[in-house]
Each structure stands twice: as C-alpha cells, then as structure tokens.
Amino acid sequence: MVPTHRPSGGPLAPTLLWAGYSALARTWRVERHGAHLLDDARAAGAVVLACWHGEQLCLIAPHAQMNLATLVSHSPDGELLARVLSRMGYATIRGSSSRGGARAALRAIRAMKTDAAAVAVAVDGPRGPRHQVQPGALLLARRTGAPLLFAVARAWPAIRLRSWDRFIIPMPFARVTITYGRVEAPLSADALRAKMLASG
C-alpha cells in the first residue's frame, strides 16, 4: 500500500490555492479551437487527452466540471494538487512514471473500460525532457481503443518560469487559447509530438 501524504503547505493550502487559482482563472479570456473534437469524442465514450506539462495551469480551469480524470503523483505536492483538482470536479488517479506508474496505468485503463472515463495525461511529465512524449498516453489509447486527442495552450500576457517545463502562468485578464487535435492510427510518440508542436 502506498502511504498517504499530507499536502505540502499545511491543511489550509488546498483551499487557499483553489480559491486563488479560481479567482485568477475567472479573469481569463479563453478561446477554444477545435473543441468539437473533444466534445464529439466524449459523447462516444472514453478518451485520452494529452497535454504538455508546462501548460497545465492554462488547461485546468477551462476543463473543470467536464468529468475528466488525471494522473497525479504520490508526493506531498501531488497530494496538494489532487485536493485542488477534486474541488474543481476532476477525478485523480495516483501514480507517476517514477512511483506507482504501473498501478496507476491499470486503474486508468479500468476506469476507461468500465466508466468511459476521459483521462488527461501530461505526456512529457513528470520530469521531462520538455516536449518529449513519454509512453503513458499511447499505452492507454492502445490498450483501450480510445481516441487519442491533445490540447495545446498559449497565454498572453503570461509569466514563463525557468523550470524544465517552462511552466506558464497566465496573468490576470490574459487571453488563453486552447487548440485541440486528434492523432489517428497508427499511434506513435513522433506523430503525437509533431501534431502538438505544429498546433502550438
């Protein structure tokens, strides 16, 4: 059994982070291009939705309350993120490529097959390299037969951190654009990466 961590920042941290992020996101002007691809795929059943790690902040709020699940690590920071995501209507599947990854993949596959879940995966996470596709999303799509879609985000004005993923923090009243696409069979990391980079 994997031990449960307390969230980093103390017991009030999830509430404060959720409130601050929600208030910030409500000021954004969000434009969704190709949103029908996700809407149509969700109407048909399970979906794998790929994104880049550094763009997650742009994507979480616009996809809240859309019945999405996402993989979150077992670390204290992961516990904090999981509690915030839960408040925003996400289901969380705990595990990462470095810890509990196989178990998390099995849980995601089960959820997709039994509940027609849509699972969002940061395909270059959790440690990079940036914009290098790891096999998790491809594995889920192949094992379940679910369509593989992606969402690429841009924001202006925004702060871009000096972290490995060049994490994007949109400023208040930023314009956030989200572009969706779909990767057809045969699925490959190169095809997914090329389509995501071309849409950015």
Side-chain angles (χ1 to χ4, degrees):
M1 179 178 292
V2 179
T4 300
H5 292 280
R6 294 181 178 180
S8 58
L12 292 179
T15 299
L16 295 175
L17 185 59
W18 166 76
Y21 172 66
S22 297
L24 172 64
R26 280 194 293 270
T27 71
W28 297 342
R29 296 166 292 146
V30 179
E31 300 176 6
R32 300 172 69 204
H33 303 288
H36 66 280
L37 294 172
L38 177 59
D39 296 339
D40 292 348
R42 285 299 293 130
V47 173
V48 180
L49 182 63
C51 68
W52 296 128
H53 195 277
E55 298 171 12
Q56 291 180 95
L57 201 66
C58 304
L59 296 169
I60 290 172
H63 294 91
Q65 309 303 331
M66 291 180 63
N67 195 28
L68 295 179
T70 187
L71 276 65
V72 181
S73 75
H74 285 291
S75 67
D77 286 346
E79 181 66 23
L80 173 60
L81 177 59
R83 296 192 186 189
V84 173
L85 290 172
S86 178
R87 287 176 176 268
M88 303 190 75
Y90 286 84
T92 56
I93 300 168
R94 306 305 298 273
S96 67
S97 60
S98 58
R99 184 178 182 185
R103 184 178 301 175
L106 289 174
R107 288 175 179 168
I109 291 169
R110 188 179 303 119
M112 293 174 70
K113 287 185 174 181
T114 60
D115 302 324
V119 178
V121 181
V123 291
D124 56 349
R127 297 191 177 96
R130 179 173 180 257
H131 290 179
Q132 295 299 314
V133 174
Q134 306 299 322
L138 298 168
L139 181 149
L140 292 180
R142 289 168 181 158
R143 292 283 183 88
T144 63
L148 176 60
L149 279 70
F150 61 83
V152 175
R154 291 291 179 267
W156 188 89
I159 297 170
R160 188 177 289 271
L161 302 184
R162 294 184 178 179
S163 54
W164 70 264
D165 57 358
R166 302 292 290 153
F167 196 80
I168 299 170
I169 304 175
M171 298 290 285
F173 305 100
R175 177 173 175 259
V176 176
T177 61
I178 302 171
T179 302
Y180 300 89
R182 178 166 175 162
V183 181
E184 303 295 345
L187 304 178
S188 73
D190 288 342
L192 176 58
R193 180 175 185 270
K195 282 183 172 288
M196 293 179 72
L197 291 177
S199 300

